[in-house]
């Protein structure tokens, strides 16, 4: 599917049956300040801050048909997929907000640009793309203009209801999700983009995803979030996340790479500390993950090159660095890190560039199949 052939949703009437179609491409994102723990329905216990990736994305097309009984068909990479059940539950959840949902059959096609279990959040890009399609169909259904900031907010909110972190995927660059003191318009319901003032050094942010283990996750994120309900450190974790969002935002504004590094690593390790100290506890880092962490820190000290790591709820490591250091860091990866990766696998990614207008989103329209 081409990126550039912009089209709007269409209505086909040829066979006497109606079908509406919407297609979107949406990136995955990686959190720097981690969302861990929820309350109510898919609302975060603490604010989080992330950026979207460029090469890791999902393309989704949603077709609505008006024939027969309500059903959901979901094809992932061209194959009928059991993920359809999760989509069905999701559609039921959001039918309170989008009333026409129950009137249609859904045929959904989805495809990821990245492999499964690669340490990239596929639920974020999948629900992001899905929510963008549904939002477009909803706006068209109610005769509303899609070129409106409200469009992105709605898409973010619908994405959140599928998978919390997905709400941060519909915007370009960095975004924040969760009510916090720093941003008056921040919300637990949807994310907001950090459109202004981010120092140019961060527009060249790179993410090398070092694959330690592509096996299935030992703890799903929904189980993980629940561990925070009764966690001994719950209060201090929430306070820490607020503080880290504030400090990281300051680092982003001032271009303070040192501060950026110290907060990002503190967050990654705190997430895993929460898992290790919950009841039951989970130890997701592998010996090779630790080896990579040590080597990244050692390289930073020795070569005086600003690199750091972040980690999601798994053993794979995201090595973050800056554009100007690309040749040195890539040589370091080849020389010292690949031997600790599963079959030498890593994914070369970067931040998705900032758009010219704050009213535009990071998810983008894709061509018709
Ligand atoms: O959106 P979920 O429920 O898959 O949770 C994501 C949790 C982390 O990836 C560990 C952190 C985050 O903020 O993305």
């Amino acid at each position: 599917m081409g990126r550039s052939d912009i089209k709007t949703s269409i209505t086909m009437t040829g066979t006497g049956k109606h079908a509406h179609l919407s297609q979107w491409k949406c990136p995955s994102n990686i959190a720097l300040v981690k969302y861990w723990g929820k309350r109510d329905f898919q609302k975060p216990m603490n604010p989080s801050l992330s950026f979207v990736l460029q090469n890791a994305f999902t393309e989704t097309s949603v077709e609505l048909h008006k024939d027969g009984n309500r059903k959901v068909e979901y094809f992932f990479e061209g194959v009928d997929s059991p993920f359809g059940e999760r989509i069905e539950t999701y559609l039921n959840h959001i039918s309170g907000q989008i009333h026409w949902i129950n009137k249609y059959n859904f045929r959904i096609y989805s495809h990821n640009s990245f492999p499964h279990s690669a340490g990239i959040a596929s639920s974020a890009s999948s629900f992001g793309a899905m929510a963008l399609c549904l939002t477009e169909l909803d706006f068209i259904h109610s005769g509303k203009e899609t070129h409106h900031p409200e469009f992105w907010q709605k898409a973010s909110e619908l994405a959140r209801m599928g998978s919390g972190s997905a709400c941060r995927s519909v915007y370009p660059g960095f975004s924040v999700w969760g009510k916090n003191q720093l941003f008056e318009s921040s919300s637990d319901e949807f994310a907001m983009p950090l459109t202004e003032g981010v120092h140019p050094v961060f527009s060249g942010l790179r993410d090398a995803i070092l694959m330690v283990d592509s096996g299935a996750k030992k703890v799903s994120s929904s189980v993980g979030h629940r561990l925070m309900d009764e966690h001994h450190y719950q209060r201090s974790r929430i306070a820490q996340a607020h503080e880290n969002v504030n400090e990281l935002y300051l680092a982003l504004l001032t271009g303070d790479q040192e501060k950026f590094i110290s907060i990002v690593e503190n967050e990654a390790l705190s997430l895993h500390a929460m898992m290790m100290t919950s009841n039951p506890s989970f130890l997701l880092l592998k010996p090779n993950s630790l080896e990579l962490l040590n080597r990244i820190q050692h390289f930073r000290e020795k070569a005086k090159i600003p690199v750091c790591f972040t980690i999601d709820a798994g053993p794979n490591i995201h090595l973050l660095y800056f554009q100007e250091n690309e040749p040195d860091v890539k040589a370091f990866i080849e020389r010292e890190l690949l031997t600790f990766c599963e079959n030498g696998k890593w994914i070369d990614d970067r931040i998705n560039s900032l758009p010219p207008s704050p009213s535009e989103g990071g998810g983008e329209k894709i061509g018709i199949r």
Side-chain angles (χ1 to χ4, degrees), residues 269-286:
L269 297 174
S270 298
L271 172 71
H272 282 263
M274 288 303 111
M275 287 187 261
M276 288 182 214
T277 51
S278 59
N279 187 10
S281 67
F282 291 91
L283 181 51
L284 303 185
L285 298 173
K286 304 271 179 187

Side-chain angles (χ1 to χ4, degrees), residues 72-300:
V72 177
E73 290 172 284
Y74 181 84
F75 300 91
F76 181 66
E77 311 288 0
V79 179
D80 203 353
S81 157
F83 193 62
E85 281 168 33
R86 184 161 169 200
I87 298 290
E88 182 129 30
T89 311
Y90 168 65
L91 293 174
N92 287 337
H93 269 131
I94 62 172
S95 61
Q97 294 208 19
I98 301 189
H99 302 293
W100 49 260
I101 274 187
N102 291 327
K103 294 189 190 154
Y104 289 96
N105 291 324
F106 282 74
R107 193 169 301 144
I108 301 161
Y109 299 88
S110 201
H111 131 89
N112 288 350
S113 66
F114 53 93
H116 185 62
S117 295
I120 297 173
S122 61
S123 59
S125 54
S126 303
F127 278 108
M130 179 81 190
L132 286 160
C133 292
L134 293 172
T135 307
E136 181 182 42
L137 291 166
D138 189 45
F139 269 52
I140 285 167
H141 195 264
S142 50
K144 280 197 276 183
E145 195 38 73
T146 52
H147 296 287
H148 194 278
E150 196 195 307
F151 175 84
W152 301 103
Q153 193 168 299
K154 179 81 184 175
S156 178
E157 185 174 358
L158 290 181
R160 186 204 99 225
M161 294 171 106
S163 171
S165 59
C167 72
R168 301 182 311 233
S169 268
V170 303
Y171 301 112
F174 295 94
S175 41
V176 167
W177 170 40
K179 190 73 197 149
N180 65 88
Q181 273 191 333
L182 199 57
F183 304 100
E184 213 183 310
S185 46
S186 62
S187 170
D188 288 344
E189 316 262 337
F190 46 81
M192 53 174 281
L194 297 183
T195 44
E196 271 160 41
V198 173
H199 193 279
V201 73
F202 294 108
S203 61
L205 196 59
R206 299 290 192 257
D207 182 4
I209 305 153
L210 305 165
M211 288 178 55
V212 170
D213 187 347
S214 60
K217 277 190 184 179
K218 266 201 293 183
V219 53
S220 70
S221 43
S222 45
V223 169
H225 290 299
R226 238 175 294 145
L227 297 174
M228 287 310 290
D229 290 349
E230 306 285 323
H231 204 294
H232 276 104
Y233 302 148
Q234 189 202 83
R235 278 173 69 144
S236 42
R237 166 61 197 148
I238 294 171
Q240 179 196 32
H242 279 269
E243 204 174 290
N244 279 344
V245 165
N246 292 353
E247 291 293 301
L248 186 58
Y249 183 56
L250 204 61
L252 291 178
L253 292 181
T254 55
D256 189 337
Q257 293 171 321
E258 215 172 297
K259 193 189 268 260
F260 175 89
I261 286 168
S262 89
I263 296 163
V264 168
E265 291 195 350
N266 172 263
E267 273 292 318
L269 297 174
S270 298
L271 172 71
H272 282 263
M274 288 303 111
M275 287 187 261
M276 288 182 214
T277 51
S278 59
N279 187 10
S281 67
F282 291 91
L283 181 51
L284 303 185
L285 298 173
K286 304 271 179 187
N288 280 353
S289 318
L290 296 178
E291 190 62 49
L292 290 168
L293 302 187
N294 281 328
R295 282 175 185 261
I296 290 166
Q297 289 185 332
H298 187 245
F299 175 76
R300 178 169 74 231

Side-chain angles (χ1 to χ4, degrees), residues 29-36 38 42 48-50 86 121 123-124 163-166 168 177 217 221-222 225 271 275 311-313:
N29 73 77
I30 176 77
L32 299 174
V33 176
K34 310 289 181 181
Y35 148 53
W36 201 236
K38 20 180 160 189
Q42 298 278 84
S48 56
L49 193 160
S50 65
R86 184 161 169 200
S123 59
S163 171
S165 59
R168 301 182 311 233
W177 170 40
K217 277 190 184 179
S221 43
S222 45
H225 290 299
L271 172 71
M275 287 187 261
I311 326 167
D312 260 351

Side-chain angles (χ1 to χ4, degrees), residues 35-57:
Y35 148 53
W36 201 236
K38 20 180 160 189
R39 30 174 217 87
D40 306 335
F41 181 64
Q42 298 278 84
K43 291 195 184 150
M45 239 179 218
N46 64 270
S48 56
L49 193 160
S50 65
F51 68 89
V52 285
L53 297 170
Q54 198 171 78
N55 301 330
F57 56 82

